[in-house]
Amino acid sequence: MKHISILGSGWLGTPLAENLINKGHQVKGSTTTLAKMNILEEHNIKPYHINLYEDNIQFLDSFIGNAELLIITIPPIRGEATPTYAENFKKLIPYIHKYNIKNVIMMSSVSVYAPQTGVITEENELFSDEPTAVQIREAEDVLLNEEGINTCILRLGGLFSEDRKPVDYIVRKEVLDNPELPINMIHLEDIIAMSSAIIEKGFVGNSIYNIVSPKYENRLDYYKQEAIKHKLTLPPLGENNSDFYKKISGNKIATTTNLSYLF
């Protein structure tokens, strides 16, 4: 049994916490919304009201204290006049050291990679200069460059689940752009399975994994399958622009965990 603290109990953090609790771990979860505290309790997640963006961190001592693993699932805020994402990660460092937390997992994004030819693996060093991608990379570096912490960065593909359907957005567009270009998606259930397996396996030193499904040939393939499943009609196909080509491999984590992608 591990004592695990999950900073950010949202679309991913809450079901991940439930999965870990079912495996016998004790889990604390943070939320920025007071109204959600009772919901977390109903799922046997010990709730904490923490909002790093508003300096609401008076509960970090009790939230991080006695944890063997800290999982960070909070996203950056798009369009901030002065980006604060990486600065918020820096706020955590003194607490991580104070309580001797050796293991940290950060839920990151494959958006950090720049479009490029060829298959992108975790060894890639060509990164996007898009503002949000830069923020995410800077936050990664806060953890990766900190001595005394084993950091595992999980770079997630485009998110989808039964209640999160990107196809709903696509069907409202005039055309489906770049239908023949690669798509890098990941289902919630696969994120939870892969993440849980990494936690059970353990990790030493810094490590980076892409979590991206290999099951879709291109954007049209994915959206066509989703449209059929949800009885939707796709818009006409648009042009392909190779400047946006980005094919990411999620093979490393599948090999490490000996798991296959379900979706």
Side-chain angles (χ1 to χ4, degrees), residues 13-182:
T14 297
L16 176 58
E18 291 181 273
N19 178 275
L20 294 171
I21 289 169
N22 290 337
K23 293 180 183 297
H25 304 299
Q26 291 188 2
V27 181
K28 300 175 182 177
S30 80
T31 175
T32 60
T33 307
L34 283 171
K36 194 175 179 182
M37 299 278 280
N38 289 337
I39 297 175
L40 296 184
E41 282 188 325
E42 290 171 1
H43 290 87
N44 296 315
I45 304 166
K46 190 171 183 180
Y48 288 81
H49 183 231
I50 298 171
N51 189 342
L52 296 181
Y53 285 98
E54 296 179 354
D55 290 325
N56 180 19
I57 58 175
Q58 64 265 38
F59 299 114
L60 276 178
D61 275 295
S62 53
F63 175 71
I64 291 181
N66 93 336
E68 298 161 71
L69 170 66
L70 173 64
I71 302 174
I72 306 171
T73 72
I74 56 174
I77 296 177
R78 293 179 179 274
E80 276 189 298
T82 303
T84 59
Y85 191 56
E87 294 302 313
N88 287 334
F89 275 62
K90 292 178 183 178
K91 296 176 185 177
L92 299 171
I93 297 300
Y95 295 89
I96 291 171
H97 287 306
K98 179 179 179 179
Y99 293 104
N100 198 31
I101 310 302
K102 295 298 184 186
N103 301 303
V104 178
I105 292 176
M106 174 189 174
M107 298 297 177
S108 181
S109 170
V110 297
S111 66
V112 298
Y113 299 118
Q116 56 200 274
T117 59
V119 177
I120 299 172
T121 68
E122 292 80 358
E123 284 67 44
N124 173 87
E125 294 185 352
L126 184 57
F127 296 108
S128 172
D129 58 4
E130 190 273 329
T132 302
V134 171
Q135 285 193 64
I136 295 172
R137 280 281 296 128
E138 289 176 348
E140 288 184 353
D141 285 342
V142 169
L143 298 174
L144 291 170
N145 295 334
E146 188 67 24
E147 293 186 3
I149 303 174
N150 299 317
T151 295
C152 180
I153 304 294
L154 300 179
R155 291 175 177 160
L156 310 180
L159 308 173
F160 74 108
S161 65
E162 293 308 307
D163 60 359
R164 183 173 185 148
K165 303 187 288 290
V167 69
D168 286 342
Y169 168 75
I170 293 297
V171 297
R172 295 196 296 267
K173 295 175 69 70
E174 292 185 2
V175 296
L176 171 56
D177 292 321
N178 300 310
E180 296 178 7
L181 265 60

